[in-house]
Amino acid sequence: MQLVVARIGRAHGIKGEVTVEVRTDEPELRLGPGAVLTTDPASVGPLTIETGRVHSGRLLLRFEGVRDRNGAEALRNTLLIADVDPDERPEDEDEYYDHQLIDLDVVTEDGEQVGRITEISHLPSQDLFVVERPDGTEVYVPFVEEIVTEIDLEEQRAVIAPPPGLIDDRAEVASARDAAGDEA
């Protein structure tokens, strides 16, 4: 199975280094020196990581055969893809690969069917489940411990405790105008 582990950003300096947007929880395993990664677009790769280092909180990589800024800049926006055994699990038991979560049924704690996970959206602040409901609409469920209470891979389901308004219209909107009107 192939997993996207990073996206190459802009060139850094003049010696062929690039910044990377890491898309794996295991960069030391997937993006270490000697790792050979396929690419999207395929015509750019495969790429072999020669060196890696962290600079100002960003991971910088240098690939074999890329020695200058022009070569590094030509790699911009390339996706780096690692081959992973489909049965492999992350080290932390509370972590999951996207392919493990796609197609899980989503149900509330009281058994109400919500839909099926069709995509995982990785945002800077948190991940979201994109859940397709039985009527074809989508709902976005934050993948946070307070809302997603259980992931059961054997039963192929994710159990959620949605706050009011997340999957229905139970939310009540309170405003200062309403409170002032009630006092009058």
Side-chain angles (χ1 to χ4, degrees):
M1 165 167 281
Q2 295 190 321
L3 297 176
V4 174
V5 294
R7 183 185 65 81
I8 297 176
R10 58 182 166 73
H12 179 83
I14 60 171
K15 296 183 179 179
E17 284 185 312
V18 295
T19 61
V20 289
E21 173 189 310
V22 177
R23 295 189 181 175
T24 177
D25 289 336
E26 303 167 316
E28 62 286 340
L29 175 66
R30 308 277 181 225
L31 300 171
V36 179
L37 304 166
T38 55
T39 61
D40 181 9
S43 60
V44 175
L47 294 173
T48 301
I49 297 174
E50 188 172 282
T51 63
R53 65 185 179 104
V54 177
H55 175 71
S56 298
R58 302 250 4 191
L59 179 61
L60 303 178
L61 297 179
R62 180 178 297 137
F63 299 100
E64 289 181 5
V66 179
R67 295 283 174 243
D68 60 19
R69 185 173 187 86
N70 291 337
E73 198 58 47
L75 299 175
R76 191 173 194 156
N77 292 321
T78 298
L79 296 177
L80 299 175
I81 303 166
D83 286 319
V84 177
D85 179 346
D87 295 327
E88 182 180 327
R89 302 274 170 109
E91 289 180 17
D92 186 343
E93 68 182 40
D94 290 333
E95 292 180 0
Y96 303 92
Y97 293 128
D98 288 3
H99 72 273
Q100 294 173 301
L101 301 171
I102 300 293
D103 287 334
L104 291 184
D105 291 323
V106 178
V107 297
T108 62
E109 289 181 318
D110 38 345
E112 178 187 342
Q113 180 70 25
V114 177
R116 180 164 290 194
I117 299 172
T118 58
E119 183 181 340
I120 312 298
S121 181
H122 300 283
L123 303 175
S125 59
Q126 67 190 15
D127 296 335
L128 291 175
F129 290 162
V130 180
V131 178
E132 184 176 325
R133 303 183 83 164
D135 65 4
T137 60
E138 290 181 336
V139 63
Y140 300 98
V141 177
F143 188 20
V144 294
E145 194 173 348
E146 296 80 20
I147 296 174
V148 180
T149 59
E150 179 185 353
I151 298 290
D152 187 338
L153 295 178
E154 288 187 24
E155 293 292 322
Q156 289 290 290
R157 70 180 186 161
V159 179
I160 64 171
L166 182 67
I167 61 172
D168 57 24
D169 55 4
R170 291 181 293 154
E172 293 183 22
V173 178
S175 74
R177 283 186 293 201
D178 291 341
D182 291 342
E183 293 173 5

